[in-house]
Amino acid sequence: MPVAAASVDGGAVPMGDPLVDTYGRVHRDLRISLTDRCSLRCTYCMPEQGNEWLAKSSILTVDEIVRIARVAAADGITTFRLTGGEPLLRADIVEVVRRLAAVTGADGRAVQVAMTTNGIRLPQLLPALVEAGLDRLNISI
């Protein structure tokens, strides 16, 4: 039975049960893949045979990402990890970080925003990402 509610797009969303796997572990992190595109040709993101890129219309908008994040935060998610492909290829990446950093959990505390990146665009974007609220960074090499 929900005991609290969080606001999602102006409406109350009852706090649900936490995410628990079959081993009884409570999950507090949610990975959000922002794009399937990558700036490198490693086998993880772009294998030799290539990929068919997703249509732009099938990629989540910032509003959709934030809506999902608010619902997840109401259910106990405390960290959002932004991934891809390469998340820094999204033109609106700073806005995504800024809007996610403003999300609060059912306890009223701000969520943490983390990112996994190959780091290629960090020299141009890191100051703005930190200012927007990026808490943690994992550079995958």
Side-chain angles (χ1 to χ4, degrees), residues 6-141:
S7 176
V8 176
D9 295 339
V13 172
M15 193 171 94
D17 294 327
L19 294 171
V20 180
D21 67 17
T22 56
Y23 297 101
R25 297 176 294 197
V26 176
H27 293 277
R28 305 254 181 246
D29 292 18
L30 180 67
R31 177 182 173 263
I32 302 173
S33 181
L34 298 178
T35 181
D36 61 334
R37 311 272 169 150
C38 189
S39 52
L40 298 176
R41 186 115 187 126
C42 58
T43 57
Y44 180 75
C45 291
M46 266 201 302
E48 247 181 78
Q49 71 272 16
N51 288 341
E52 293 219 10
W53 303 118
L54 294 172
K56 186 169 182 162
S57 61
S58 67
I59 302 291
L60 292 173
T61 66
V62 180
D63 288 338
E64 291 167 332
I65 291 167
V66 171
R67 181 165 172 69
I68 290 167
R70 287 181 177 148
V71 170
D75 282 345
I77 295 298
T78 59
T79 300
F80 297 106
R81 175 165 301 281
L82 305 177
T83 67
E86 173 49 46
L88 296 181
L89 290 181
R90 250 187 100 123
D92 57 1
I93 186 61
V94 174
E95 179 185 358
V96 170
V97 170
R98 181 174 287 110
R99 298 227 2 234
L100 286 176
V103 172
T104 56
D107 62 0
R109 288 193 272 172
V111 298
Q112 293 238 320
V113 180
M115 182 185 301
T116 297
T117 175
N118 63 27
I120 300 289
R121 296 195 65 218
L122 278 178
Q124 297 87 11
L125 294 171
L126 187 58
L129 290 168
V130 170
E131 182 183 322
L134 184 67
D135 294 298
R136 293 194 323 259
L137 189 63
N138 179 48
I139 300 173
S140 202
I141 53 175

